[in-house]
Amino acid sequence: MKVLLLVFALVAAVSAQTEPWCRCAAFVTYEHSEIMVFEAPEVTIDSCVDDAKQCKRACATELNTLSNNGDLWFMQENGLTVGQDICSYLAGHFFFWMRNHRVYGYYEVCGGAWEYAGVESQQMLCCDGGKHEHCIAKEE
């Protein structure tokens, strides 16, 4: 009984120390994996239990605002397209080539599983040696 009380006390102490937070990121999907290609600043939420919808909405708004609703050719204030930022990020992590992949927005509440935020790139992402390029569809 004492062990059970100790476990509950430990869980309560850890839960009390956790500040609610929400992460927003963009991923490229492969058949068996996901690659994070961008992470937005953390979003403040009120509760880890009750605010998944608040996190999802805030992330969708943030990602859509940063990318002009998923436009990979949107020119940012830094003079680079959204796609070029992603290709540069990927090249910095030794992914130099990317062909015909959509970029999807996801959110994570307080360290839980990543969930789809309803955000998708307008175009496919293609990177050639770290340079953002227009994708050319394969002829069949």
Side-chain angles (χ1 to χ4, degrees), residues 34-98:
E34 305 275 340
I35 298 174
M36 184 185 294
V37 296
F38 172 79
E39 185 165 8
E42 265 187 25
V43 174
T44 303
I45 56 175
D46 299 324
S47 165
C48 288
V49 177
D50 300 323
D51 286 337
K53 288 181 183 175
Q54 179 187 11
C55 178
K56 180 180 180 178
R57 280 191 306 271
C59 282
T61 299
E62 178 79 8
L63 293 171
N64 280 325
T65 299
L66 292 172
S67 67
N68 193 33
N69 296 312
D71 182 3
L72 297 179
W73 291 98
F74 177 66
M75 188 65 67
Q76 304 171 101
E77 290 181 13
N78 65 7
L80 300 175
T81 64
V82 171
Q84 184 56 57
D85 260 351
I86 293 171
C87 290
S88 295
Y89 174 86
L90 287 169
H93 291 85
F94 305 103
F95 287 94
F96 298 102
W97 289 271
M98 174 80 51

Side-chain angles (χ1 to χ4, degrees), residues 73 99-100 123-127 131-137:
W73 291 98
R99 286 280 173 243
N100 299 317
Q123 305 88 7
M124 298 287 218
L125 177 66
C126 288
C127 306
K131 183 175 180 259
H132 183 215
E133 294 187 344
H134 287 279
C135 295
I136 299 172

Side-chain angles (χ1 to χ4, degrees), residues 21-36:
W21 52 273
C22 167
R23 288 174 66 194
C24 305
F27 289 82
V28 170
T29 302
Y30 282 91
E31 185 177 352
H32 299 291
S33 64
E34 305 275 340
I35 298 174
M36 184 185 294

Side-chain angles (χ1 to χ4, degrees), residues 4-30:
L4 188 58
L5 287 175
L6 180 61
V7 169
F8 282 126
L10 182 60
V11 168
V14 169
S15 297
Q17 294 172 359
T18 303
E19 290 290 322
W21 52 273
C22 167
R23 288 174 66 194
C24 305
F27 289 82
V28 170
T29 302
Y30 282 91

